[in-house]
Amino acid sequence: TIARIHHAKDILRARLENPPSSLELAQLVGVSDRTLRRGFQELFGTNVFNYLTSKRMEQAEKLLREGNRSVTEVANIVGYSHLSLFASMFKRQY
C-alpha cells in the first residue's frame, strides 16, 4: 500500500496541469479513495488536494523566477485557468 501511495504522489507531480480526481487517482494506483486519503495524510502529512496545490505553487514559483513567461502563462502551465484563483493560491503559499 505504501508503494501505491507513493505512486499516486508521482502521478500528481507528473500531471500538475491536469491531475486526476481523488477517486480516479485511487483507481489508477489500485487502492480505495479512503485508503488513498488516509495514506497520503500519514505518509506526507497533508491531504491530496493540499499536496497538489503546494506542488503547483512550487512549480509556478520556479517558472516565474525564470522570468521568461507571463503570470497568465505560468498559471495555465500549472493548471489554473482563472488568474484570480491562481494569484490567491500563490499569495497564500508565499
Side-chain angles (χ1 to χ4, degrees):
T1 302
I2 291 172
R4 291 173 190 233
I5 303 299
H6 280 278
H7 182 56
K9 178 186 75 158
D10 294 340
I11 290 171
L12 288 176
R13 290 185 73 126
R15 294 179 54 184
L16 290 178
E17 183 179 347
N18 188 21
S21 70
S22 182
L23 184 58
E24 290 170 329
L25 184 60
Q27 290 172 345
L28 284 171
V29 298
V31 298
S32 71
D33 187 46
R34 183 176 183 192
T35 299
L36 177 67
R37 286 185 278 122
R38 264 199 200 150
F40 231 86
Q41 188 66 46
E42 289 175 15
L43 290 173
F44 308 119
T46 189
N47 64 43
V48 174
F49 177 77
N50 288 341
Y51 177 83
L52 176 62
T53 300
S54 176
K55 294 306 164 195
R56 283 176 157 178
M57 293 302 109
E58 287 173 13
Q59 179 68 16
E61 180 192 26
K62 179 184 170 204
L63 292 170
L64 288 169
R65 286 191 184 278
E66 289 173 0
N68 56 353
R69 292 184 173 95
S70 71
V71 174
T72 303
E73 288 174 313
V74 170
N76 286 326
I77 289 169
V78 297
Y80 287 87
S81 56
H82 299 295
L83 190 56
S84 60
L85 178 58
F86 170 75
S88 172
M89 299 303 282
F90 193 84
K91 286 178 185 178
R92 185 178 300 160
Q93 182 152 336
Y94 296 104

